[in-house]
Amino acid sequence: LRKSAFENLYHTYGSFGNTIAAVLASQVKQLQFFAQARKYGSAMEASLDVTNVPTSVYTNLIEAVHKNLDKMYRYVDLRKKLLGVDELHMYDLYCPLIEGVSGRTPIDEAKKTVYDALAPLGEDYRKVLQQGFDNRWIDVYENAGKRSGAYSWGVYGVHPFVLLNYQPRYNSISTIAHEMGHAMHSYFSSQAQSYVNSEYTIFCAEVASTTNENLLLEHTLKHAMAEQKIYLLNQFLEAVRTTVYRQVQFAEFERYIHGEITAGRSLQAEKLEEYWLQSNRDYYGPALTVDKELASEWSRIPHFYTAFYVYQYATGITAAVSIANSILKHGDKAFYNYKKFLSAGGSMPPVEILKLAGVDLTTEQPFNVAMREFRDTLNSLKALYNEEK
């Protein structure tokens, strides 16, 4: 079924390859025209300048991931062995390694789990968190006409509102931690900043939410049985694969297509397909069988029409892993610095705001922390699997 869906989807996209390549080329040319008209050195520089982020953050991110591709190769190889397949295809990467272990958790128990997991953030933080739980900040369940997924919206002068579509399983508990991370970020920023400076940028938006997810994961692992640990460890590995490695792969593709237009070359579908296939080989290694249909995947990624945006997913989770590790290791001192980040809103350039929490994304240090965590989690998963066997 997965194979059929994969082939049918990409055959359809492939049939429109030339048209989509022409549309993408037009988008890139437009961005470059406006960048030149406004005296920027490149479209990347123009796009990142909107949030005062230096281009070195973008290039450092790609270089850091390239230095750590060996860890992704090990993960893909392990996933192939755990699934017991002769060939691992792209459509196999999203298969759960183990099923039926997340349990059924009522909403009140889920809230308590999140409350307990966020103990490292201190009582002042959890007091506001409990206030949100007790005072209907959250619309919990599915309903007719309600949008899908989950969402948080900070309202200055009132309090944040959170929308969920709660299901009694671990993913939904993690979603509560995630969305309440957004809500708490909005709350503390609104309390500390004027209306003008209260909103944080997209560059910082996923940091608080993902920090909460990481703290929840660490808490849950302490109380989990072996099968549950396999499930949870793989949750983290997949988060890093899809939010760091995959988004950086997208970011590198963006840099490539802008480079092609800058050099006076055209974006031909055939050439983009060749690049994309090689990119997947480079990012996932020899354990992944790269099917020819995958060549058309670039054409279905909508983020390429929002210039130089996707890298922020990777920087966000990188910063969050670094912050969560620091809080668990150093306690109150680390949270004191993190609270400065939560309260800063948009009052400073985002790179400087993250420095308040001890994360300097102009260096490779946060990326190294995240990659070490990925490596250690991979080793733990492998050891657990060997024990289970």
Side-chain angles (χ1 to χ4, degrees), residues 6 9-10 61 65 69 72 90-91 93-94 237-254 276 279-280 283-284 288 294 297-298 300-304 310-311 313-314 317 371 374:
F6 174 86
L9 177 69
Y10 287 126
L61 176 64
V65 167
L69 288 175
M72 179 52 60
M90 183 60 74
Y91 49 80
L93 285 181
Y94 293 92
L237 293 172
E238 276 297 288
V240 175
R241 180 184 75 79
T242 56
T243 315
V244 178
Y245 284 95
R246 182 167 168 81
Q247 301 303 325
V248 171
Q249 182 188 12
F250 291 174
E252 190 170 7
F253 178 79
E254 277 194 87
W276 194 255
S279 176
N280 279 277
Y283 270 78
Y284 292 99
L288 182 72
L294 189 60
E297 186 184 31
W298 64 269
R300 76 168 184 87
I301 310 299
H303 294 82
F304 297 150
V310 293
Y311 83 100
Y313 290 114
I317 191 174
M371 291 298 101
F374 184 82

Side-chain angles (χ1 to χ4, degrees), residues 76-126:
V76 174
D77 186 58
L78 179 61
R79 172 169 271 276
K80 181 179 179 181
K81 291 174 182 175
L82 297 185
L83 289 175
V85 294
D86 295 328
E87 290 186 350
L88 186 79
H89 300 261
M90 183 60 74
Y91 49 80
D92 297 320
L93 285 181
Y94 293 92
C95 287
L97 294 180
I98 193 164
E99 295 190 66
V101 298
S102 58
R104 295 188 62 81
T105 308
I107 183 63
D108 288 338
E109 186 179 335
K111 289 177 180 177
K112 185 179 186 307
T113 299
V114 172
Y115 181 85
D116 292 342
L118 300 183
L121 299 182
E123 290 310 308
D124 288 345
Y125 184 97
R126 293 206 298 171

Side-chain angles (χ1 to χ4, degrees), residues 46-334:
S47 297
L48 270 60
D49 189 51
V50 173
T51 49
N52 292 303
V53 175
T55 56
S56 60
V57 171
Y58 198 100
T59 54
N60 284 346
L61 176 64
I62 294 173
E63 290 172 9
V65 167
H66 276 214
K67 291 176 182 177
N68 288 277
L69 288 175
D70 61 307
K71 298 174 182 62
M72 179 52 60
Y73 295 176
R74 285 183 55 211
Y75 172 57
V76 174
D77 186 58
L78 179 61
R79 172 169 271 276
K80 181 179 179 181
K81 291 174 182 175
L82 297 185
L83 289 175
V85 294
D86 295 328
E87 290 186 350
L88 186 79
H89 300 261
M90 183 60 74
Y91 49 80
D92 297 320
L93 285 181
Y94 293 92
C95 287
L97 294 180
I98 193 164
E99 295 190 66
V101 298
S102 58
R104 295 188 62 81
T105 308
I107 183 63
D108 288 338
E109 186 179 335
K111 289 177 180 177
K112 185 179 186 307
T113 299
V114 172
Y115 181 85
D116 292 342
L118 300 183
L121 299 182
E123 290 310 308
D124 288 345
Y125 184 97
R126 293 206 298 171
K127 182 179 178 180
V128 180
L129 178 71
Q130 191 64 52
Q131 181 182 334
F133 287 159
D134 294 341
N135 291 282
R136 302 183 66 184
W137 290 12
I138 307 174
D139 182 24
V140 177
Y141 298 110
E142 291 178 306
N143 206 346
K146 188 177 182 181
R147 66 180 287 178
S148 61
Y151 194 74
S152 174
W153 185 257
V155 181
Y156 191 83
V158 190
H159 61 71
F161 292 88
V162 172
L163 177 151
L164 302 175
N165 286 280
Y166 184 77
Q167 299 292 327
R169 53 177 181 257
Y170 178 80
N171 279 354
S172 281
I173 303 173
S174 184
T175 300
I176 294 173
H178 181 102
E179 297 304 331
M180 288 307 291
H182 286 306
M184 298 294 284
H185 193 178
S186 296
Y187 177 87
F188 284 115
S189 288
S190 294
Q191 290 289 308
Q193 301 295 330
S194 67
Y195 175 79
V196 173
N197 290 326
S198 61
E199 284 199 27
Y200 42 83
T201 65
I202 291 294
F203 189 83
C204 292
E206 295 300 327
V207 175
S209 55
T210 313
T211 296
N212 280 8
E213 283 191 66
N214 288 330
L215 292 173
L216 173 68
L217 179 65
E218 289 297 324
H219 171 80
T220 310
L221 280 168
K222 291 177 182 177
H223 306 281
M225 303 296 287
E227 281 193 345
Q228 292 172 316
K229 285 183 179 179
I230 291 174
Y231 172 85
L232 292 166
L233 291 172
N234 188 60
Q235 288 283 108
F236 177 78
L237 293 172
E238 276 297 288
V240 175
R241 180 184 75 79
T242 56
T243 315
V244 178
Y245 284 95
R246 182 167 168 81
Q247 301 303 325
V248 171
Q249 182 188 12
F250 291 174
E252 190 170 7
F253 178 79
E254 277 194 87
R255 188 173 69 172
Y256 165 73
I257 59 177
H258 279 264
E260 289 295 287
I261 296 297
T262 300
R265 293 186 283 268
S266 61
L267 297 185
Q268 298 174 348
E270 184 178 353
K271 191 172 182 181
L272 295 177
E273 289 168 359
E274 289 174 2
Y275 176 93
W276 194 255
L277 283 178
Q278 187 57 48
S279 176
N280 279 277
R281 296 186 188 102
D282 293 341
Y283 270 78
Y284 292 99
L288 182 72
T289 299
V290 178
D291 301 285
K292 64 181 186 301
E293 289 83 3
L294 189 60
S296 298
E297 186 184 31
W298 64 269
S299 64
R300 76 168 184 87
I301 310 299
H303 294 82
F304 297 150
Y305 298 89
T306 305
F308 301 102
Y309 172 86
V310 293
Y311 83 100
Q312 295 169 113
Y313 290 114
T315 55
I317 191 174
T318 296
V321 169
S322 185
I323 289 169
N325 282 8
S326 181
I327 289 170
L328 291 170
K329 186 175 181 180
H330 301 294
D332 290 345
K333 181 182 178 182

